[in-house]
Amino acid sequence: MGKKRLEDAIQKLSYPVKVDYRCFELDPTMERDVSYSIYEKLASKYGMSIEQAKANCDNMEKMAQEVGLDFRFDLQKLTNTFDAHRLVMYAKTQGLMHEMTERILRAYYTEGKHIGDHATLITLADDVGLDSNATEAMLASTDFSDTVRQDEKQADQYNIRSIPFFLVNKKYGISGAQPTEAFVQSLEQIIEQDGLRVTQPGISCDEDGCDIPEK
């Protein structure tokens, strides 16, 4: 939901915003194959009943519908997400990071797919245009493991302990799935505060600065 609200906020800005996804595992110790449900996990973690956990998930589903998302916690398959993160980092090298991230999220939250399973990940990668054989070889290796761990190390340095978390211009943190208008206000304030507003055509900016073509 935080991702969707941020995307909606960006559409309301007159300034180009570059979004780069980073790796973060809520539970790095999670097994790949899990027999318990999200309701049982939440009940155990927060000391609540299964009924309370279901009620909380129902509320999340309703909130998701308000921004055009279809969450199905009753179908959700908990799993270790490390390989899914590796796949996104591989997709980034192919210019498909955003597409791969979106496909994995939809598979997990809406379709009830097992995103820790390599066969499932290969199919999802094929859906966004990645070569199946190359994806299979990557997943069978340890490629991009260091990339994932480096992102997680950086998150720890920033003291990030939960998601969603948005780091803007490498120094401003926005935590949680804020309302769309809150994102708009925060981004506008950062743009003004850091002097990032650009109105001239032909100038593109990202987190590393502005690229001004030579005349």
Side-chain angles (χ1 to χ4, degrees), residues 67-105:
V67 294
L69 298 175
D70 180 22
F71 281 9
R72 290 292 306 273
F73 287 106
D74 59 319
L75 301 178
Q76 193 172 95
K77 291 181 174 62
L78 298 178
T79 185
N80 186 288
T81 60
F82 186 75
D83 285 338
H85 283 299
R86 288 202 299 129
L87 177 56
V88 170
M89 293 298 99
Y90 166 62
K92 182 178 181 179
T93 67
Q94 307 300 307
L96 292 168
M97 176 184 65
H98 287 258
E99 293 83 354
M100 194 71 257
T101 299
E102 181 66 27
R103 186 65 190 95
I104 288 174
L105 290 175

PDB file of all heavy atoms in Angstrom, residues 67-105:
ATOM      1  N   VAL A  67      -7.074   1.844  -2.372  1.00  0.00           N
ATOM      2  CA  VAL A  67      -6.059   2.362  -3.303  1.00  0.00           C
ATOM      3  C   VAL A  67      -5.948   1.467  -4.539  1.00  0.00           C
ATOM      4  O   VAL A  67      -4.968   1.562  -5.295  1.00  0.00           O
ATOM      5  CB  VAL A  67      -4.687   2.503  -2.620  1.00  0.00           C
ATOM      6  CG1 VAL A  67      -4.734   3.563  -1.555  1.00  0.00           C
ATOM      7  CG2 VAL A  67      -4.205   1.175  -2.044  1.00  0.00           C
ATOM      8  N   GLY A  68      -6.943   0.601  -4.741  1.00  0.00           N
ATOM      9  CA  GLY A  68      -6.989  -0.214  -5.948  1.00  0.00           C
ATOM     10  C   GLY A  68      -6.205  -1.504  -5.905  1.00  0.00           C
ATOM     11  O   GLY A  68      -5.880  -2.081  -6.953  1.00  0.00           O
ATOM     12  N   LEU A  69      -5.909  -1.997  -4.703  1.00  0.00           N
ATOM     13  CA  LEU A  69      -5.169  -3.245  -4.566  1.00  0.00           C
ATOM     14  C   LEU A  69      -6.075  -4.347  -4.040  1.00  0.00           C
ATOM     15  O   LEU A  69      -6.994  -4.094  -3.268  1.00  0.00           O
ATOM     16  CB  LEU A  69      -3.981  -3.057  -3.610  1.00  0.00           C
ATOM     17  CG  LEU A  69      -2.911  -2.047  -4.031  1.00  0.00           C
ATOM     18  CD1 LEU A  69      -1.881  -1.891  -2.918  1.00  0.00           C
ATOM     19  CD2 LEU A  69      -2.236  -2.472  -5.320  1.00  0.00           C
ATOM     20  N   ASP A  70      -5.788  -5.569  -4.451  1.00  0.00           N
ATOM     21  CA  ASP A  70      -6.579  -6.730  -4.027  1.00  0.00           C
ATOM     22  C   ASP A  70      -5.696  -7.652  -3.191  1.00  0.00           C
ATOM     23  O   ASP A  70      -4.946  -8.463  -3.716  1.00  0.00           O
ATOM     24  CB  ASP A  70      -7.117  -7.470  -5.259  1.00  0.00           C
ATOM     25  CG  ASP A  70      -7.941  -8.689  -4.870  1.00  0.00           C
ATOM     26  OD1 ASP A  70      -8.438  -8.734  -3.733  1.00  0.00           O
ATOM     27  OD2 ASP A  70      -8.080  -9.604  -5.714  1.00  0.00           O
ATOM     28  N   PHE A  71      -5.786  -7.505  -1.868  1.00  0.00           N
ATOM     29  CA  PHE A  71      -5.014  -8.348  -0.953  1.00  0.00           C
ATOM     30  C   PHE A  71      -5.845  -9.578  -0.591  1.00  0.00           C
ATOM     31  O   PHE A  71      -7.029  -9.459  -0.293  1.00  0.00           O
ATOM     32  CB  PHE A  71      -4.646  -7.599   0.324  1.00  0.00           C
ATOM     33  CG  PHE A  71      -3.470  -6.664   0.186  1.00  0.00           C
ATOM     34  CD1 PHE A  71      -2.913  -6.382  -1.047  1.00  0.00           C
ATOM     35  CD2 PHE A  71      -2.906  -6.064   1.302  1.00  0.00           C
ATOM     36  CE1 PHE A  71      -1.821  -5.523  -1.172  1.00  0.00           C
ATOM     37  CE2 PHE A  71      -1.825  -5.198   1.194  1.00  0.00           C
ATOM     38  CZ  PHE A  71      -1.285  -4.929  -0.042  1.00  0.00           C
ATOM     39  N   ARG A  72      -5.215 -10.756  -0.583  1.00  0.00           N
ATOM     40  CA  ARG A  72      -5.886 -12.001  -0.184  1.00  0.00           C
ATOM     41  C   ARG A  72      -5.023 -12.719   0.847  1.00  0.00           C
ATOM     42  O   ARG A  72      -4.222 -13.590   0.523  1.00  0.00           O
ATOM     43  CB  ARG A  72      -6.106 -12.885  -1.406  1.00  0.00           C
ATOM     44  CG  ARG A  72      -7.133 -12.368  -2.388  1.00  0.00           C
ATOM     45  CD  ARG A  72      -8.546 -12.417  -1.793  1.00  0.00           C
ATOM     46  NE  ARG A  72      -8.874 -13.750  -1.302  1.00  0.00           N
ATOM     47  CZ  ARG A  72      -9.397 -14.718  -2.083  1.00  0.00           C
ATOM     48  NH1 ARG A  72      -9.630 -14.480  -3.366  1.00  0.00           N
ATOM     49  NH2 ARG A  72      -9.684 -15.894  -1.566  1.00  0.00           N
ATOM     50  N   PHE A  73      -5.184 -12.334   2.111  1.00  0.00           N
ATOM     51  CA  PHE A  73      -4.386 -12.945   3.159  1.00  0.00           C
ATOM     52  C   PHE A  73      -4.747 -14.403   3.384  1.00  0.00           C
ATOM     53  O   PHE A  73      -3.935 -15.181   3.889  1.00  0.00           O
ATOM     54  CB  PHE A  73      -4.533 -12.159   4.467  1.00  0.00           C
ATOM     55  CG  PHE A  73      -3.824 -10.834   4.447  1.00  0.00           C
ATOM     56  CD1 PHE A  73      -4.531  -9.655   4.328  1.00  0.00           C
ATOM     57  CD2 PHE A  73      -2.444 -10.769   4.545  1.00  0.00           C
ATOM     58  CE1 PHE A  73      -3.877  -8.432   4.299  1.00  0.00           C
ATOM     59  CE2 PHE A  73      -1.774  -9.549   4.519  1.00  0.00           C
ATOM     60  CZ  PHE A  73      -2.498  -8.373   4.390  1.00  0.00           C
ATOM     61  N   ASP A  74      -5.961 -14.780   3.001  1.00  0.00           N
ATOM     62  CA  ASP A  74      -6.364 -16.174   3.163  1.00  0.00           C
ATOM     63  C   ASP A  74      -5.596 -17.092   2.211  1.00  0.00           C
ATOM     64  O   ASP A  74      -5.496 -18.306   2.453  1.00  0.00           O
ATOM     65  CB  ASP A  74      -7.874 -16.331   2.932  1.00  0.00           C
ATOM     66  CG  ASP A  74      -8.301 -15.871   1.539  1.00  0.00           C
ATOM     67  OD1 ASP A  74      -7.786 -14.831   1.077  1.00  0.00           O
ATOM     68  OD2 ASP A  74      -9.154 -16.542   0.930  1.00  0.00           O
ATOM     69  N   LEU A  75      -5.040 -16.538   1.145  1.00  0.00           N
ATOM     70  CA  LEU A  75      -4.272 -17.326   0.174  1.00  0.00           C
ATOM     71  C   LEU A  75      -2.761 -17.221   0.396  1.00  0.00           C
ATOM     72  O   LEU A  75      -1.999 -18.008  -0.168  1.00  0.00           O
ATOM     73  CB  LEU A  75      -4.580 -16.855  -1.248  1.00  0.00           C
ATOM     74  CG  LEU A  75      -6.029 -16.934  -1.730  1.00  0.00           C
ATOM     75  CD1 LEU A  75      -6.128 -16.364  -3.148  1.00  0.00           C
ATOM     76  CD2 LEU A  75      -6.544 -18.368  -1.695  1.00  0.00           C
ATOM     77  N   GLN A  76      -2.346 -16.271   1.200  1.00  0.00           N
ATOM     78  CA  GLN A  76      -0.933 -15.927   1.323  1.00  0.00           C
ATOM     79  C   GLN A  76      -0.078 -17.088   1.830  1.00  0.00           C
ATOM     80  O   GLN A  76      -0.427 -17.762   2.793  1.00  0.00           O
ATOM     81  CB  GLN A  76      -0.766 -14.730   2.253  1.00  0.00           C
ATOM     82  CG  GLN A  76       0.615 -14.098   2.206  1.00  0.00           C
ATOM     83  CD  GLN A  76       0.647 -12.806   2.999  1.00  0.00           C
ATOM     84  OE1 GLN A  76       1.017 -12.802   4.167  1.00  0.00           O
ATOM     85  NE2 GLN A  76       0.243 -11.714   2.385  1.00  0.00           N
ATOM     86  N   LYS A  77       1.035 -17.317   1.141  1.00  0.00           N
ATOM     87  CA  LYS A  77       1.983 -18.369   1.520  1.00  0.00           C
ATOM     88  C   LYS A  77       3.246 -17.712   2.077  1.00  0.00           C
ATOM     89  O   LYS A  77       4.027 -17.121   1.335  1.00  0.00           O
ATOM     90  CB  LYS A  77       2.316 -19.252   0.322  1.00  0.00           C
ATOM     91  CG  LYS A  77       1.165 -20.113  -0.161  1.00  0.00           C
ATOM     92  CD  LYS A  77       1.600 -20.980  -1.341  1.00  0.00           C
ATOM     93  CE  LYS A  77       0.489 -21.952  -1.739  1.00  0.00           C
ATOM     94  NZ  LYS A  77      -0.744 -21.251  -2.180  1.00  0.00           N
ATOM     95  N   LEU A  78       3.442 -17.833   3.373  1.00  0.00           N
ATOM     96  CA  LEU A  78       4.642 -17.289   3.994  1.00  0.00           C
ATOM     97  C   LEU A  78       5.861 -18.072   3.535  1.00  0.00           C
ATOM     98  O   LEU A  78       5.797 -19.288   3.326  1.00  0.00           O
ATOM     99  CB  LEU A  78       4.523 -17.365   5.520  1.00  0.00           C
ATOM    100  CG  LEU A  78       3.378 -16.576   6.158  1.00  0.00           C
ATOM    101  CD1 LEU A  78       3.379 -16.787   7.662  1.00  0.00           C
ATOM    102  CD2 LEU A  78       3.489 -15.096   5.821  1.00  0.00           C
ATOM    103  N   THR A  79       6.977 -17.371   3.375  1.00  0.00           N
ATOM    104  CA  THR A  79       8.186 -18.039   2.911  1.00  0.00           C
ATOM    105  C   THR A  79       9.386 -17.128   3.138  1.00  0.00           C
ATOM    106  O   THR A  79       9.238 -15.941   3.428  1.00  0.00           O
ATOM    107  CB  THR A  79       8.097 -18.390   1.414  1.00  0.00           C
ATOM    108  OG1 THR A  79       9.251 -19.139   1.011  1.00  0.00           O
ATOM    109  CG2 THR A  79       8.011 -17.131   0.548  1.00  0.00           C
ATOM    110  N   ASN A  80      10.568 -17.669   2.969  1.00  0.00           N
ATOM    111  CA  ASN A  80      11.778 -16.863   2.988  1.00  0.00           C
ATOM    112  C   ASN A  80      11.877 -16.117   1.652  1.00  0.00           C
ATOM    113  O   ASN A  80      11.729 -16.716   0.589  1.00  0.00           O
ATOM    114  CB  ASN A  80      13.002 -17.763   3.179  1.00  0.00           C
ATOM    115  CG  ASN A  80      14.276 -16.978   3.348  1.00  0.00           C
ATOM    116  OD1 ASN A  80      14.790 -16.398   2.405  1.00  0.00           O
ATOM    117  ND2 ASN A  80      14.795 -16.959   4.567  1.00  0.00           N
ATOM    118  N   THR A  81      12.135 -14.820   1.713  1.00  0.00           N
ATOM    119  CA  THR A  81      12.098 -13.992   0.501  1.00  0.00           C
ATOM    120  C   THR A  81      13.482 -13.662  -0.068  1.00  0.00           C
ATOM    121  O   THR A  81      13.588 -12.847  -0.992  1.00  0.00           O
ATOM    122  CB  THR A  81      11.350 -12.668   0.780  1.00  0.00           C
ATOM    123  OG1 THR A  81      12.037 -11.959   1.830  1.00  0.00           O
ATOM    124  CG2 THR A  81       9.919 -12.934   1.189  1.00  0.00           C
ATOM    125  N   PHE A  82      14.520 -14.281   0.455  1.00  0.00           N
ATOM    126  CA  PHE A  82      15.874 -13.923   0.024  1.00  0.00           C
ATOM    127  C   PHE A  82      16.072 -14.107  -1.480  1.00  0.00           C
ATOM    128  O   PHE A  82      16.625 -13.233  -2.162  1.00  0.00           O
ATOM    129  CB  PHE A  82      16.912 -14.746   0.793  1.00  0.00           C
ATOM    130  CG  PHE A  82      18.328 -14.348   0.514  1.00  0.00           C
ATOM    131  CD1 PHE A  82      18.862 -13.176   1.047  1.00  0.00           C
ATOM    132  CD2 PHE A  82      19.147 -15.130  -0.290  1.00  0.00           C
ATOM    133  CE1 PHE A  82      20.179 -12.797   0.780  1.00  0.00           C
ATOM    134  CE2 PHE A  82      20.460 -14.765  -0.561  1.00  0.00           C
ATOM    135  CZ  PHE A  82      20.971 -13.591  -0.020  1.00  0.00           C
ATOM    136  N   ASP A  83      15.622 -15.225  -2.019  1.00  0.00           N
ATOM    137  CA  ASP A  83      15.799 -15.473  -3.450  1.00  0.00           C
ATOM    138  C   ASP A  83      14.934 -14.538  -4.291  1.00  0.00           C
ATOM    139  O   ASP A  83      15.317 -14.166  -5.409  1.00  0.00           O
ATOM    140  CB  ASP A  83      15.483 -16.931  -3.787  1.00  0.00           C
ATOM    141  CG  ASP A  83      16.593 -17.875  -3.345  1.00  0.00           C
ATOM    142  OD1 ASP A  83      17.736 -17.410  -3.167  1.00  0.00           O
ATOM    143  OD2 ASP A  83      16.320 -19.077  -3.166  1.00  0.00           O
ATOM    144  N   ALA A  84      13.773 -14.158  -3.775  1.00  0.00           N
ATOM    145  CA  ALA A  84      12.939 -13.185  -4.482  1.00  0.00           C
ATOM    146  C   ALA A  84      13.660 -11.846  -4.576  1.00  0.00           C
ATOM    147  O   ALA A  84      13.621 -11.162  -5.608  1.00  0.00           O
ATOM    148  CB  ALA A  84      11.596 -13.026  -3.776  1.00  0.00           C
ATOM    149  N   HIS A  85      14.362 -11.477  -3.511  1.00  0.00           N
ATOM    150  CA  HIS A  85      15.158 -10.248  -3.536  1.00  0.00           C
ATOM    151  C   HIS A  85      16.307 -10.373  -4.548  1.00  0.00           C
ATOM    152  O   HIS A  85      16.610  -9.418  -5.284  1.00  0.00           O
ATOM    153  CB  HIS A  85      15.731  -9.963  -2.149  1.00  0.00           C
ATOM    154  CG  HIS A  85      14.740  -9.384  -1.187  1.00  0.00           C
ATOM    155  ND1 HIS A  85      14.113  -8.176  -1.409  1.00  0.00           N
ATOM    156  CD2 HIS A  85      14.271  -9.834  -0.005  1.00  0.00           C
ATOM    157  CE1 HIS A  85      13.304  -7.913  -0.397  1.00  0.00           C
ATOM    158  NE2 HIS A  85      13.379  -8.906   0.468  1.00  0.00           N
ATOM    159  N   ARG A  86      16.950 -11.528  -4.582  1.00  0.00           N
ATOM    160  CA  ARG A  86      18.026 -11.731  -5.551  1.00  0.00           C
ATOM    161  C   ARG A  86      17.500 -11.582  -6.974  1.00  0.00           C
ATOM    162  O   ARG A  86      18.174 -10.996  -7.844  1.00  0.00           O
ATOM    163  CB  ARG A  86      18.659 -13.117  -5.378  1.00  0.00           C
ATOM    164  CG  ARG A  86      19.504 -13.265  -4.138  1.00  0.00           C
ATOM    165  CD  ARG A  86      20.504 -14.417  -4.290  1.00  0.00           C
ATOM    166  NE  ARG A  86      19.854 -15.699  -4.492  1.00  0.00           N
ATOM    167  CZ  ARG A  86      20.151 -16.540  -5.485  1.00  0.00           C
ATOM    168  NH1 ARG A  86      21.074 -16.234  -6.384  1.00  0.00           N
ATOM    169  NH2 ARG A  86      19.519 -17.697  -5.597  1.00  0.00           N
ATOM    170  N   LEU A  87      16.302 -12.094  -7.210  1.00  0.00           N
ATOM    171  CA  LEU A  87      15.699 -12.002  -8.534  1.00  0.00           C
ATOM    172  C   LEU A  87      15.437 -10.553  -8.925  1.00  0.00           C
ATOM    173  O   LEU A  87      15.675 -10.155 -10.072  1.00  0.00           O
ATOM    174  CB  LEU A  87      14.400 -12.810  -8.578  1.00  0.00           C
ATOM    175  CG  LEU A  87      13.617 -12.751  -9.892  1.00  0.00           C
ATOM    176  CD1 LEU A  87      14.499 -13.182 -11.071  1.00  0.00           C
ATOM    177  CD2 LEU A  87      12.370 -13.627  -9.801  1.00  0.00           C
ATOM    178  N   VAL A  88      14.958  -9.758  -7.987  1.00  0.00           N
ATOM    179  CA  VAL A  88      14.717  -8.345  -8.271  1.00  0.00           C
ATOM    180  C   VAL A  88      16.031  -7.637  -8.609  1.00  0.00           C
ATOM    181  O   VAL A  88      16.093  -6.807  -9.530  1.00  0.00           O
ATOM    182  CB  VAL A  88      14.026  -7.650  -7.075  1.00  0.00           C
ATOM    183  CG1 VAL A  88      13.995  -6.132  -7.281  1.00  0.00           C
ATOM    184  CG2 VAL A  88      12.611  -8.180  -6.901  1.00  0.00           C
ATOM    185  N   MET A  89      17.099  -7.960  -7.887  1.00  0.00           N
ATOM    186  CA  MET A  89      18.391  -7.338  -8.163  1.00  0.00           C
ATOM    187  C   MET A  89      18.938  -7.778  -9.528  1.00  0.00           C
ATOM    188  O   MET A  89      19.585  -6.992 -10.235  1.00  0.00           O
ATOM    189  CB  MET A  89      19.395  -7.690  -7.054  1.00  0.00           C
ATOM    190  CG  MET A  89      19.055  -7.076  -5.691  1.00  0.00           C
ATOM    191  SD  MET A  89      19.050  -5.248  -5.691  1.00  0.00           S
ATOM    192  CE  MET A  89      17.287  -4.908  -5.837  1.00  0.00           C
ATOM    193  N   TYR A  90      18.676  -9.009  -9.899  1.00  0.00           N
ATOM    194  CA  TYR A  90      19.052  -9.472 -11.245  1.00  0.00           C
ATOM    195  C   TYR A  90      18.233  -8.726 -12.295  1.00  0.00           C
ATOM    196  O   TYR A  90      18.773  -8.247 -13.308  1.00  0.00           O
ATOM    197  CB  TYR A  90      18.823 -10.983 -11.360  1.00  0.00           C
ATOM    198  CG  TYR A  90      18.851 -11.486 -12.792  1.00  0.00           C
ATOM    199  CD1 TYR A  90      20.008 -11.359 -13.565  1.00  0.00           C
ATOM    200  CD2 TYR A  90      17.720 -12.071 -13.354  1.00  0.00           C
ATOM    201  CE1 TYR A  90      20.030 -11.810 -14.883  1.00  0.00           C
ATOM    202  CE2 TYR A  90      17.734 -12.525 -14.667  1.00  0.00           C
ATOM    203  CZ  TYR A  90      18.887 -12.387 -15.432  1.00  0.00           C
ATOM    204  OH  TYR A  90      18.908 -12.824 -16.741  1.00  0.00           O
ATOM    205  N   ALA A  91      16.930  -8.606 -12.042  1.00  0.00           N
ATOM    206  CA  ALA A  91      16.057  -7.899 -12.975  1.00  0.00           C
ATOM    207  C   ALA A  91      16.498  -6.443 -13.150  1.00  0.00           C
ATOM    208  O   ALA A  91      16.365  -5.868 -14.233  1.00  0.00           O
ATOM    209  CB  ALA A  91      14.607  -7.960 -12.489  1.00  0.00           C
ATOM    210  N   LYS A  92      17.043  -5.870 -12.096  1.00  0.00           N
ATOM    211  CA  LYS A  92      17.528  -4.488 -12.172  1.00  0.00           C
ATOM    212  C   LYS A  92      18.619  -4.355 -13.224  1.00  0.00           C
ATOM    213  O   LYS A  92      18.671  -3.356 -13.956  1.00  0.00           O
ATOM    214  CB  LYS A  92      18.052  -4.052 -10.800  1.00  0.00           C
ATOM    215  CG  LYS A  92      18.538  -2.616 -10.739  1.00  0.00           C
ATOM    216  CD  LYS A  92      18.987  -2.247  -9.328  1.00  0.00           C
ATOM    217  CE  LYS A  92      19.457  -0.797  -9.254  1.00  0.00           C
ATOM    218  NZ  LYS A  92      19.865  -0.415  -7.874  1.00  0.00           N
ATOM    219  N   THR A  93      19.493  -5.362 -13.324  1.00  0.00           N
ATOM    220  CA  THR A  93      20.566  -5.310 -14.317  1.00  0.00           C
ATOM    221  C   THR A  93      20.027  -5.424 -15.737  1.00  0.00           C
ATOM    222  O   THR A  93      20.726  -5.081 -16.703  1.00  0.00           O
ATOM    223  CB  THR A  93      21.596  -6.437 -14.090  1.00  0.00           C
ATOM    224  OG1 THR A  93      20.989  -7.721 -14.358  1.00  0.00           O
ATOM    225  CG2 THR A  93      22.126  -6.406 -12.662  1.00  0.00           C
ATOM    226  N   GLN A  94      18.801  -5.895 -15.858  1.00  0.00           N
ATOM    227  CA  GLN A  94      18.159  -6.042 -17.169  1.00  0.00           C
ATOM    228  C   GLN A  94      17.151  -4.927 -17.446  1.00  0.00           C
ATOM    229  O   GLN A  94      16.402  -4.982 -18.416  1.00  0.00           O
ATOM    230  CB  GLN A  94      17.450  -7.409 -17.254  1.00  0.00           C
ATOM    231  CG  GLN A  94      18.326  -8.609 -16.922  1.00  0.00           C
ATOM    232  CD  GLN A  94      19.523  -8.727 -17.844  1.00  0.00           C
ATOM    233  OE1 GLN A  94      19.366  -8.726 -19.062  1.00  0.00           O
ATOM    234  NE2 GLN A  94      20.715  -8.824 -17.269  1.00  0.00           N
ATOM    235  N   GLY A  95      17.134  -3.938 -16.566  1.00  0.00           N
ATOM    236  CA  GLY A  95      16.212  -2.820 -16.744  1.00  0.00           C
ATOM    237  C   GLY A  95      14.769  -3.147 -16.411  1.00  0.00           C
ATOM    238  O   GLY A  95      13.850  -2.456 -16.854  1.00  0.00           O
ATOM    239  N   LEU A  96      14.550  -4.195 -15.611  1.00  0.00           N
ATOM    240  CA  LEU A  96      13.185  -4.644 -15.306  1.00  0.00           C
ATOM    241  C   LEU A  96      12.918  -4.726 -13.803  1.00  0.00           C
ATOM    242  O   LEU A  96      12.077  -5.517 -13.369  1.00  0.00           O
ATOM    243  CB  LEU A  96      12.933  -6.016 -15.958  1.00  0.00           C
ATOM    244  CG  LEU A  96      12.870  -6.027 -17.486  1.00  0.00           C
ATOM    245  CD1 LEU A  96      12.903  -7.456 -18.016  1.00  0.00           C
ATOM    246  CD2 LEU A  96      11.613  -5.309 -17.980  1.00  0.00           C
ATOM    247  N   MET A  97      13.608  -3.912 -13.027  1.00  0.00           N
ATOM    248  CA  MET A  97      13.441  -3.955 -11.578  1.00  0.00           C
ATOM    249  C   MET A  97      12.010  -3.643 -11.161  1.00  0.00           C
ATOM    250  O   MET A  97      11.420  -4.351 -10.337  1.00  0.00           O
ATOM    251  CB  MET A  97      14.392  -2.970 -10.900  1.00  0.00           C
ATOM    252  CG  MET A  97      14.222  -2.862  -9.382  1.00  0.00           C
ATOM    253  SD  MET A  97      15.295  -1.607  -8.640  1.00  0.00           S
ATOM    254  CE  MET A  97      14.622  -0.115  -9.394  1.00  0.00           C
ATOM    255  N   HIS A  98      11.437  -2.584 -11.705  1.00  0.00           N
ATOM    256  CA  HIS A  98      10.086  -2.184 -11.312  1.00  0.00           C
ATOM    257  C   HIS A  98       9.061  -3.236 -11.714  1.00  0.00           C
ATOM    258  O   HIS A  98       8.160  -3.569 -10.936  1.00  0.00           O
ATOM    259  CB  HIS A  98       9.741  -0.829 -11.933  1.00  0.00           C
ATOM    260  CG  HIS A  98      10.465   0.316 -11.298  1.00  0.00           C
ATOM    261  ND1 HIS A  98       9.870   1.155 -10.386  1.00  0.00           N
ATOM    262  CD2 HIS A  98      11.749   0.752 -11.416  1.00  0.00           C
ATOM    263  CE1 HIS A  98      10.749   2.062  -9.979  1.00  0.00           C
ATOM    264  NE2 HIS A  98      11.896   1.832 -10.595  1.00  0.00           N
ATOM    265  N   GLU A  99       9.201  -3.749 -12.925  1.00  0.00           N
ATOM    266  CA  GLU A  99       8.263  -4.767 -13.398  1.00  0.00           C
ATOM    267  C   GLU A  99       8.347  -6.045 -12.570  1.00  0.00           C
ATOM    268  O   GLU A  99       7.323  -6.646 -12.231  1.00  0.00           O
ATOM    269  CB  GLU A  99       8.535  -5.082 -14.877  1.00  0.00           C
ATOM    270  CG  GLU A  99       8.229  -3.951 -15.833  1.00  0.00           C
ATOM    271  CD  GLU A  99       9.358  -2.924 -15.951  1.00  0.00           C
ATOM    272  OE1 GLU A  99      10.349  -3.031 -15.190  1.00  0.00           O
ATOM    273  OE2 GLU A  99       9.250  -2.030 -16.799  1.00  0.00           O
ATOM    274  N   MET A 100       9.578  -6.441 -12.216  1.00  0.00           N
ATOM    275  CA  MET A 100       9.763  -7.655 -11.437  1.00  0.00           C
ATOM    276  C   MET A 100       9.222  -7.498 -10.021  1.00  0.00           C
ATOM    277  O   MET A 100       8.576  -8.406  -9.483  1.00  0.00           O
ATOM    278  CB  MET A 100      11.256  -8.013 -11.386  1.00  0.00           C
ATOM    279  CG  MET A 100      11.544  -9.435 -10.879  1.00  0.00           C
ATOM    280  SD  MET A 100      11.075 -10.722 -12.055  1.00  0.00           S
ATOM    281  CE  MET A 100       9.534 -11.327 -11.332  1.00  0.00           C
ATOM    282  N   THR A 101       9.479  -6.348  -9.427  1.00  0.00           N
ATOM    283  CA  THR A 101       8.966  -6.086  -8.084  1.00  0.00           C
ATOM    284  C   THR A 101       7.448  -6.125  -8.072  1.00  0.00           C
ATOM    285  O   THR A 101       6.834  -6.758  -7.207  1.00  0.00           O
ATOM    286  CB  THR A 101       9.451  -4.708  -7.580  1.00  0.00           C
ATOM    287  OG1 THR A 101      10.876  -4.705  -7.524  1.00  0.00           O
ATOM    288  CG2 THR A 101       8.888  -4.404  -6.195  1.00  0.00           C
ATOM    289  N   GLU A 102       6.830  -5.458  -9.019  1.00  0.00           N
ATOM    290  CA  GLU A 102       5.369  -5.419  -9.101  1.00  0.00           C
ATOM    291  C   GLU A 102       4.793  -6.823  -9.286  1.00  0.00           C
ATOM    292  O   GLU A 102       3.793  -7.179  -8.663  1.00  0.00           O
ATOM    293  CB  GLU A 102       4.938  -4.513 -10.255  1.00  0.00           C
ATOM    294  CG  GLU A 102       3.431  -4.366 -10.423  1.00  0.00           C
ATOM    295  CD  GLU A 102       2.771  -3.648  -9.259  1.00  0.00           C
ATOM    296  OE1 GLU A 102       3.457  -2.827  -8.602  1.00  0.00           O
ATOM    297  OE2 GLU A 102       1.582  -3.908  -9.000  1.00  0.00           O
ATOM    298  N   ARG A 103       5.442  -7.618 -10.132  1.00  0.00           N
ATOM    299  CA  ARG A 103       4.936  -8.974 -10.398  1.00  0.00           C
ATOM    300  C   ARG A 103       5.037  -9.844  -9.151  1.00  0.00           C
ATOM    301  O   ARG A 103       4.114 -10.613  -8.846  1.00  0.00           O
ATOM    302  CB  ARG A 103       5.732  -9.609 -11.547  1.00  0.00           C
ATOM    303  CG  ARG A 103       5.166 -10.964 -11.988  1.00  0.00           C
ATOM    304  CD  ARG A 103       3.795 -10.805 -12.581  1.00  0.00           C
ATOM    305  NE  ARG A 103       3.112 -12.085 -12.806  1.00  0.00           N
ATOM    306  CZ  ARG A 103       2.253 -12.628 -11.946  1.00  0.00           C
ATOM    307  NH1 ARG A 103       1.976 -12.030 -10.783  1.00  0.00           N
ATOM    308  NH2 ARG A 103       1.661 -13.768 -12.223  1.00  0.00           N
ATOM    309  N   ILE A 104       6.137  -9.745  -8.425  1.00  0.00           N
ATOM    310  CA  ILE A 104       6.313 -10.554  -7.221  1.00  0.00           C
ATOM    311  C   ILE A 104       5.307 -10.135  -6.144  1.00  0.00           C
ATOM    312  O   ILE A 104       4.712 -10.991  -5.470  1.00  0.00           O
ATOM    313  CB  ILE A 104       7.756 -10.439  -6.687  1.00  0.00           C
ATOM    314  CG1 ILE A 104       8.718 -11.184  -7.622  1.00  0.00           C
ATOM    315  CG2 ILE A 104       7.868 -11.004  -5.273  1.00  0.00           C
ATOM    316  CD1 ILE A 104      10.184 -11.019  -7.261  1.00  0.00           C
ATOM    317  N   LEU A 105       5.110  -8.854  -5.971  1.00  0.00           N
ATOM    318  CA  LEU A 105       4.159  -8.382  -4.963  1.00  0.00           C
ATOM    319  C   LEU A 105       2.740  -8.854  -5.269  1.00  0.00           C
ATOM    320  O   LEU A 105       2.005  -9.268  -4.361  1.00  0.00           O
ATOM    321  CB  LEU A 105       4.200  -6.854  -4.877  1.00  0.00           C
ATOM    322  CG  LEU A 105       5.467  -6.246  -4.261  1.00  0.00           C
ATOM    323  CD1 LEU A 105       5.432  -4.729  -4.360  1.00  0.00           C
ATOM    324  CD2 LEU A 105       5.629  -6.677  -2.808  1.00  0.00           C
TER     325      LEU A 105
END
